[in-house]
């Protein structure tokens, strides 16, 4: 630490020296910002504070180091050829990213080498662009010119608009004309009027396209482009059946388009983005950046107040959708490991602080991020941190509604703490989630701090790894990751929810039945899904409970299904780690066969299977030196299957993750009651384990009918816990005779420990 | 950190207050140490320094907290019943551990509550012991009374000897008589004269037994017991064919026994312990502790000078056998995660510092351990750290010889650095390693800092997890973990080395051919094995090389086999992670079958297989956001098999680890040339990858005959690297025509880059 700090101090000193040398030159050159992101006023404040605000100075130094290396390497603008991960793709990405940063450095430091770098690069693009055909790679529904898809071309224009803005006043009128006529105007036209299927959707792609066109419009003072960006194309002639590469519908008939329509439609009033947090993080970038530009150039729009301040709300929602390490819950299509350390979220947190209410909880996130944007917002955050104003960001149990009006289900995130550990349950009862949605009604994942205990698979894709389909979606994303069997929810007759049909899935959403986070020892959520399987009603209630029976909080899961006819029902548990013990017999085959032939089942190898005889089937495993036991209230004849991912996977695209599946073979109605119990620990250095056994002596269903479900847990310490759910009309008063006791309560559930 | 420090300061203050209150009481009570571990002189120095040496004070406080909790819980001495992990087993372990610590606290702090606690506990044992039969669990070749095996009874006596020593002068003569007649003397007799098959071996079990008997002998001034401990039983009548539970021979005819013989036989002159580091760590405890007691009570023995100071040397060997995180390389039977943070190593490092040459490099290890023993040695270490005398422990490439005379092969540990990363190759060409040895001649493992890149499986056992066979060895340890196919070496005709026969394996060892660690860019080891398969010679040369071709150091592996007849040869690579790409076609079956029927092959599922056509077969994978490529110089018709562990494993006792196997179907002589190339990285937050491709354009075998093997690597950057090995008579001068160039050199190998 010491040497880093010393070296850092030296660099700041050096940097201030440089700065003082150029401040005069800068004032002479007419390098006034055109104010797209960096306002005149903001720039002045930044200059006044230079060298005095540690986080800002460090962020500036990091970017300066990065850009200086690139400037030394020289400019390369190759003819587009490659997919993601390939040379030309990565080079053009690096170009726009460096140019944007160089623009910031020019504005703040005034060194002309940065402006020259941008000018030279843009002129090279301007020389190349008019002759460019569509990118040779043909796989996208909306091909780009610089990149294989217009999405990446939009990324380019969002950054280059900022770079151009930075040098707008510094270059000559003639140079501006060259850049605008040969590059920016045709570029914006290509992304908008020439690509309606890309530009005129409610989709993160379009948000990028809208922002790109709008931002360059703001720089060029081209009101027509800005209007296109805000309100979409008036005419688009999009075929009503057209699909994108993910199978998503391009546009519903009569749907609005443009940036404002995307803000309106894509976010729920809670700030949840219907595609899920991984794409929310991605989409937030153009939403926030264009909003910042609009705030500067068109303050009359009051963009940060739009939809009751939805952009700022969405930042809070996004932070709540992270685990203890700041990684996003991988709902819908999502690459694991993506977190609030991503640049897009750094920028969004700074903006939410600055354009919102200067909430000191956001400062603690920014502190962890360790970086700020080099503008008014970033400076405000860095100043807040310098003044030690930060407060811990408290993640309380929360409901995030889905749907533009907040009426299409949602996500519940429940937390329960014990000592220093936090157990989190993420239950999903949303709408489909557009083309990135999975068939995962009433599914959940469970976390022990930053560790996945019961996982959501995420997507089947290696972003930017060229060898894996050019970094694009793999076919296993459709055949596996989106299927219901890939999720911790009930699958009927080995078919996915909505029969895996996107259009059907898009018509429906699950409904919250009730939730209660008011009691410290009980966090509970209950939701229903009546459309995933026609004729079948699904009702799942999940609770995190602290009880004297247990050392740590446990999850109780009551999943009722009511069928119109006899069905097979599967409930998988995607655990991690090593099986320690079961209380039932099972057979391991001599050859491994696939668990099924389609709907994702073809990807699972059946490693072992047993038939339940006891009333409680127990499954204990260990992961990362912790123990977990799943106690399932089984009926005689239920199957218990150990399976593993990896079948029908000729390219080894899937992780070899294990799953434990509870199957009811022929049942019309059924109730799956499970208790997930974290317990004990193991120390590989002392080699001592503690509490490697479940604390549940028995779990019983005392009542289960249309009116009520009552579950009793009996601990080895003789403590008893009774949980009763009113399955319908829950809000009123209830009374019920259980175990020869009359109990009565008001509301959807009651819990009694004795 | 601040609050921890503050709280710690408060506690130290409190503790010094307590200490001042009791120092007088202590001087009044005749609580003089009998000097088994804590000498009078040492105790005085400790008291003089109390409150002034942070690490010592902290260690004392931690132990005080732990013991105080136990004293409050009260004493329990249950009738023995359970296996490891079970209640009575864990209770008795806790008892001896707490009693030993209480003794130290009594001697240092003088509080009689600690002495009383020990006395009361020992009297309870003395009341129980005379009536105790053998432990009811019958599975051990040497059953204990308190525990299921005499080994644990010895652990008990080693600790209780210290506890007894601490209160020896404090209790009455009558109490001493009761304890010695009813408990300690019969206990020592049981472990020695009544258990010759346990006591009279060259084995870590016997070392524990010897130390236990010797230490209680020293406390009781019983010279006869001390002699038994040092020199073994004169008569033992051990059946020459008798075996322990691991199948190890109890005793070779005419073999010496006792503590000194174990010191003589178990360690090589380099300090390597033949069973491997996991058991070295375990055995070091009684070796070191008894040696400390002997040094105090019988300084004339000069035990720390015995065998040229072997005990201190063994500590250096052990530290060299750890990865970047301090975890032991899992050679032979070993549980992964065991590290130099184990108590046994903390004690040994302190002793090696104090009884050795006060090497400041040991202080840096002690600093990481964060704990010292509460005696003269620990105080010396804590004082050294207080005075900031520590130096970094430099792990250089090293050879550790095996065999009591250092003439039975060895282990080579090669290191190569790049930036902040260290790549380490651990190559094993030892003798069998007693009953904990594996059939793994010329095997290796490869590390990227603390991460396993090519792993050694370790053992099949969950120490102290009761559900897994009472924490004992699982049958898969024999059927899988010991077998040759579980290791990264050549397997002929799907049989293990020495046909998996322990007696045969014990007769032989591999031989080092040459090594050279003198050049910074080339670390090289070459060894031969001529007995694993009668009629077949195996010769493996492995090098870590820094070359301009590569971003990072690579491993070159030249494995020659010369058979008497045509054989099938398999060379496995136990990688971790996700397959990214191969350059050959392969088929994935519709059902998974076992790779073979015995010798460990029955535990592997065959996930895919391809036939090599190119000269180079490439296999690229990714793990923990890093990339690796294996380039194998294959011949047409070689098979490349992707398999996974887990078949024939009805209790899920094995990890589902993957393996890539290179198979030559019918070959008399063969050479397996491989390059393992770490490259590139991936950032899941920026989603940017770099260098995800191998840098090797081609790897070629230019020459391969009995005299020479020449391998050439050609990089995409056109750099060429030539490595030539003189396969016999290597020391002299050589000249050779390669690619129309005459090259000449002196010694076993030459390497040329151009």
């Amino acid at each position: 630490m010491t040497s880093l700090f010393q070296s850092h101090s030296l660099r700041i000193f050096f940097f201030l020296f440089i700065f003082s040398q150029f401040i005069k030159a800068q004032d002479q050159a007419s390098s006034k910002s055109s104010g797209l992101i960096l306002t005149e006023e903001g720039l002045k404040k930044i200059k006044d504070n230079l060298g005095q605000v540690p986080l800002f100075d460090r962020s500036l130094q990091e970017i300066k180091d990065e850009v200086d290396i690139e400037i030394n390497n020289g400019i390369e603008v190759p003819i587009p050829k490659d997919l993601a991960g390939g040379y030309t793709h990565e080079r053009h990405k690096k170009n726009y990213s460096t140019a944007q940063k160089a623009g910031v450095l020019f504005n703040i430091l005034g060194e002309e080498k940065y402006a020259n770098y941008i000018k030279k690069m843009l002129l090279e693009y301007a020389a190349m662009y008019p002759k460019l055909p569509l990118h040779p790679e043909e796989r996208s529904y909306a091909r780009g010119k610089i990149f294989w898809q217009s999405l990446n071309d939009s990324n380019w224009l969002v950054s280059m608009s900022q770079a151009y803005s930075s040098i707008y006043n510094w270059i000559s009128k003639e140079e501006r004309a060259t850049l605008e006529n040969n590059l920016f105007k045709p570029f914006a036209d290509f992304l908008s009027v020439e690509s309606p299927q890309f530009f005129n959707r409610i989709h993160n792609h379009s948000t990028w396209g809208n922002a790109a066109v709008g931002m360059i419009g703001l720089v060029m003072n081209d009101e027509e482009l800005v209007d296109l960006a805000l309100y979409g194309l008036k005419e688009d002639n999009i075929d009503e059946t057209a699909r994108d590469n993910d199978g998503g519908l391009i546009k519903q008939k009569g749907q609005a388009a443009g940036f404002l329509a995307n803000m309106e439609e894509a976010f729920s009033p809670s700030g949840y983005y219907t595609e899920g947090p991984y794409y929310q993080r991605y989409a937030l970038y153009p939403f926030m950046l264009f909003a910042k530009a609009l705030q500067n150039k068109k303050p009359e729009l009051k963009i940060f107040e739009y939809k009751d301040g939805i952009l700022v709300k969405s930042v809070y929602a996004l932070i709540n959708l992270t685990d203890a390490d700041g990684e996003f819950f991988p709902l819908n299509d999502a690459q694991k490991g993506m977190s609030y350390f991503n640049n897009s979220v750094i920028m969004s947190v700074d903006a939410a602080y600055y354009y919102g209410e200067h909430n000191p909880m956001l400062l603690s996130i920014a502190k962890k991020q360790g970086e700020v944007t080099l503008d008014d917002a970033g400076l405000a955050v860095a100043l807040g941190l310098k003044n030690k104003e930060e407060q811990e960001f408290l993640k309380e149990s929360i409901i995030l509604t889905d749907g533009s009006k907040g009426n299409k289900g949602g996500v519940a995130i429940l937390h329960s703490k014990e000592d220093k550990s936090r157990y989190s349950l993420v239950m999903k009862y949303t709408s489909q989630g557009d083309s990135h949605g999975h068939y995962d009604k009433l599914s959940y994942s469970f976390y022990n701090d930053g560790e996945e205990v019961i996982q959501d698979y995420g997507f089947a894709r290696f972003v930017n790894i060229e060898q894996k389909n050019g970094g694009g979606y793999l076919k296993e994303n459709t055949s596996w990751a989106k299927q219901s069997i890939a999720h911790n929810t009930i699958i009927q007759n080995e078919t996915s929810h909505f029969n895996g049909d996107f259009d059907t899935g898009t018509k429906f959403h699950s409904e919250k039945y009730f939730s209660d986070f008011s009691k410290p020892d009980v966090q509970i959520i209950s939701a229903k899904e009546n459309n995933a399987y026609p004729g079948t009603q699904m009702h799942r209630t999940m609770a995190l409970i602290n009880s004297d029976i247990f050392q740590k909080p446990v999850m109780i899961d009551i999943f009722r299904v009511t069928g119109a006819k006899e069905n097979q029902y599967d409930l998988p548990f995607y655990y991690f780690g090593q099986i320690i013990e079961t209380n039932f017999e099972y057979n391991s085959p001599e050859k491994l066969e696939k668990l099924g032939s389609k709907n994702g089942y073809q990807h699972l190898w059946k490693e072992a299977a047993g038939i339940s005889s006891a009333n409680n089937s127990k499954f204990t495993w260990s992961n990362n030196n912790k123990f977990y036991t799943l106690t399932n209230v089984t009926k005689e004849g239920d199957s218990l299957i150990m399976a593993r991912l990896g079948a029908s996977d000729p390219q080894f695209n899937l992780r070899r993750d294990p799953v434990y599946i509870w199957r009811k073979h022929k049942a019309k109605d059924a109730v799956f009651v499970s208790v997930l119990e974290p317990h004990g620990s193991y120390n590989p250095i002392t080699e001592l384990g503690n509490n490697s056994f479940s604390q549940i002596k028995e779990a019983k269903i005392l009542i289960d009918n249309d009116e009520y479900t009552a579950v009793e847990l009996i601990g080895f310490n003789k403590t008893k816990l009774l949980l009763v759910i009113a399955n319908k009309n829950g809000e009123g008063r209830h009374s019920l005779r259980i175990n020869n006791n009359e109990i009565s309560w008001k509301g959807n559930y009651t819990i009694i420990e004795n």
Side-chain angles (χ1 to χ4, degrees), chain A residues 569-597:
Chain A
Y569 297 115
D570 284 345
L571 180 59
F573 299 89
Y574 282 90
Y575 72 101
F576 280 113
Q578 189 98 24
I579 298 174
I580 295 294
E581 192 181 33
T582 68
N583 74 339
F584 54 89
E585 301 283 320
Y586 54 85
N587 294 310
S588 305
E590 288 296 299
K591 294 183 186 181
L592 291 196
E593 301 196 12
K594 297 175 185 179
L595 189 60
S597 60

Side-chain angles (χ1 to χ4, degrees), chain A residues 129 247 293 573 585-586 652 711 748:
Chain A
Y129 195 81
F573 299 89
E585 301 283 320
Y586 54 85
F652 287 84
V711 172
N748 295 287

Side-chain angles (χ1 to χ4, degrees), chain A residues 448-635:
Chain A
N448 180 346
D449 284 329
E451 282 174 21
E452 295 172 294
V453 177
I454 300 290
Q455 72 154 331
D456 198 300
Y457 186 85
F459 62 27
R461 179 181 175 185
F462 296 75
V463 179
N464 287 328
I465 301 296
E466 191 177 347
Q467 294 102 317
K468 291 289 192 188
N469 188 33
Y473 279 94
L474 300 165
K475 66 185 188 338
E476 288 79 10
N477 197 55
T478 304
S479 64
W480 166 256
K482 289 193 169 198
Q483 299 297 325
S484 299
I485 185 61
H487 299 86
N488 301 292
T489 185
I490 281 179
I491 302 95
Q492 175 179 301
N493 300 328
E494 303 184 25
T495 59
S496 285
H497 300 165
F498 309 111
N499 206 16
D501 181 64
F502 177 73
D503 292 346
T504 312
T506 300
K507 287 189 191 126
F508 300 107
H509 58 85
S510 309
E511 293 276 4
K512 187 177 102 165
Y513 174 49
F514 72 87
S515 64
D516 182 11
F517 307 149
S518 66
K519 301 184 185 70
D521 286 342
V522 187
Q523 309 283 303
I524 192 164
I525 172 74
S526 185
K528 298 183 180 185
E529 167 58 48
N530 295 323
N531 301 291
Y533 297 112
T536 298
Q537 277 86 51
M538 299 160 78
H539 177 195
R540 188 171 213 173
T541 304
M542 307 190 85
L544 286 186
I545 288 180
N546 287 297
S547 155
D548 288 342
I549 300 176
F550 308 105
Q551 190 191 21
K552 302 177 179 183
V554 299
M555 182 188 84
I556 301 182
D557 176 17
I558 302 173
F559 203 152
R560 303 186 80 236
V561 275
T562 315
K565 58 176 183 61
E566 282 201 333
N567 297 301
Q568 173 188 294
Y569 297 115
D570 284 345
L571 180 59
F573 299 89
Y574 282 90
Y575 72 101
F576 280 113
Q578 189 98 24
I579 298 174
I580 295 294
E581 192 181 33
T582 68
N583 74 339
F584 54 89
E585 301 283 320
Y586 54 85
N587 294 310
S588 305
E590 288 296 299
K591 294 183 186 181
L592 291 196
E593 301 196 12
K594 297 175 185 179
L595 189 60
S597 60
K598 54 180 190 287
N599 303 326
Y601 282 74
Q602 75 277 19
H603 288 297
L604 289 169
W605 294 117
K606 189 173 168 183
E607 287 194 312
I611 300 287
S612 144
S613 53
N615 294 327
N616 283 183
S617 297
K618 291 202 166 222
F619 181 80
T620 298
W621 73 96
S622 160
N623 193 40
N624 288 335
N625 296 315
K626 299 176 192 81
F627 297 95
Y628 301 93
T629 294
L630 194 58
T631 301
N632 299 118
V633 186
T634 43
K635 283 195 177 168

Side-chain angles (χ1 to χ4, degrees), chain A residues 146-422:
Chain A
I146 309 284
F147 299 94
W148 68 281
Q149 54 177 349
S150 286
L151 173 61
N152 296 110
D153 280 31
S154 301
N155 301 155
W156 186 99
L157 188 53
V158 162
S159 288
M160 287 304 198
S161 299
Q162 297 170 71
Y164 180 45
S165 156
S166 301
I167 61 167
Y168 188 88
N169 296 320
W170 177 82
I171 60 175
S172 68
K173 209 169 170 179
E174 294 72 28
E175 287 162 337
R176 282 204 289 269
T178 303
L179 292 179
E180 297 187 4
N181 295 334
N182 294 348
L183 180 61
F184 291 125
K185 187 66 170 71
F187 207 116
D189 289 345
F190 171 70
L191 289 177
S192 53
V193 289
E194 296 168 31
S195 305
Q197 84 284 14
F198 168 74
F199 191 78
N200 238 28
R201 305 176 67 188
I202 299 298
H203 193 282
N204 75 66
H205 287 190
S206 300
T207 303
W208 276 99
N210 301 157
V213 170
M215 286 171 73
I216 198 66
L218 288 173
V219 184
M220 300 193 297
N221 298 308
D222 184 330
E223 283 295 328
E224 197 178 336
L225 285 181
V226 176
D227 276 0
L228 278 187
L230 290 172
Y231 308 107
L233 301 166
K234 289 199 175 60
E235 297 277 318
D236 58 22
N237 295 316
I238 293 171
D239 184 333
E240 278 176 41
T241 65
R243 302 275 161 172
D244 64 17
N245 298 86
D246 306 316
L249 191 70
I250 295 289
K251 198 182 174 195
Q252 287 171 7
K253 198 178 166 175
Q255 197 172 39
F259 189 73
L260 296 178
N262 267 286
M263 272 179 76
E264 187 61 47
E265 292 295 323
F267 295 103
S268 83
S270 71
Y272 181 78
Y273 184 71
T274 194
E275 296 180 13
Y278 176 79
Y279 278 97
Q280 180 164 356
R281 171 267 331 168
Y282 187 66
L284 254 185
Y285 196 86
F287 272 121
M288 276 292 181
L289 202 65
F290 189 27
K292 285 163 73 165
L294 287 167
Q295 183 68 19
N296 291 341
K297 302 284 260 186
K298 288 184 168 295
E300 68 280 10
L301 264 182
K302 297 189 176 172
I303 194 75
F304 281 102
E305 291 170 35
Y306 194 81
K307 198 178 177 178
D308 202 18
I310 193 64
L311 288 179
V312 170
K313 278 186 186 168
S314 75
V315 175
Y316 290 95
L318 196 52
I319 295 171
N320 274 304
L321 285 161
T322 61
D323 69 14
D325 299 332
E327 294 182 13
F328 298 123
F329 302 127
L331 307 176
N332 294 332
D333 283 340
Q335 179 154 286
K336 289 185 180 177
M338 181 55 76
S339 73
Y340 61 45
F341 295 100
N342 181 274
N343 274 336
S344 167
V345 191
I346 292 172
M347 191 268 278
S348 299
V349 166
D350 292 355
Y353 178 80
Y354 185 67
Y355 297 104
E357 293 164 338
H358 286 56
N359 185 337
M361 294 207 309
L362 291 174
L363 294 178
S364 69
I365 302 293
K367 188 177 186 179
K368 288 183 186 166
Q369 291 170 333
E371 195 183 327
V372 291
T373 48
L374 297 176
D375 55 19
D376 318 35
L379 181 67
V381 166
L383 280 168
L385 284 172
K386 185 190 174 191
N387 297 331
K388 300 191 191 308
E389 289 165 11
E390 75 266 22
Q391 287 176 13
E392 188 191 355
F393 194 102
L394 297 171
K395 289 182 188 168
E396 305 291 351
S397 295
I398 192 175
I399 297 279
L400 297 170
T401 56
D402 189 18
S404 61
K405 308 245 174 331
N407 58 356
K408 295 190 172 178
V411 174
I413 306 162
L414 281 59
H415 301 286
S416 189
K417 281 180 228 168
E418 176 261 338
D419 280 349
K420 283 161 284 181
S421 290
R422 169 195 291 264

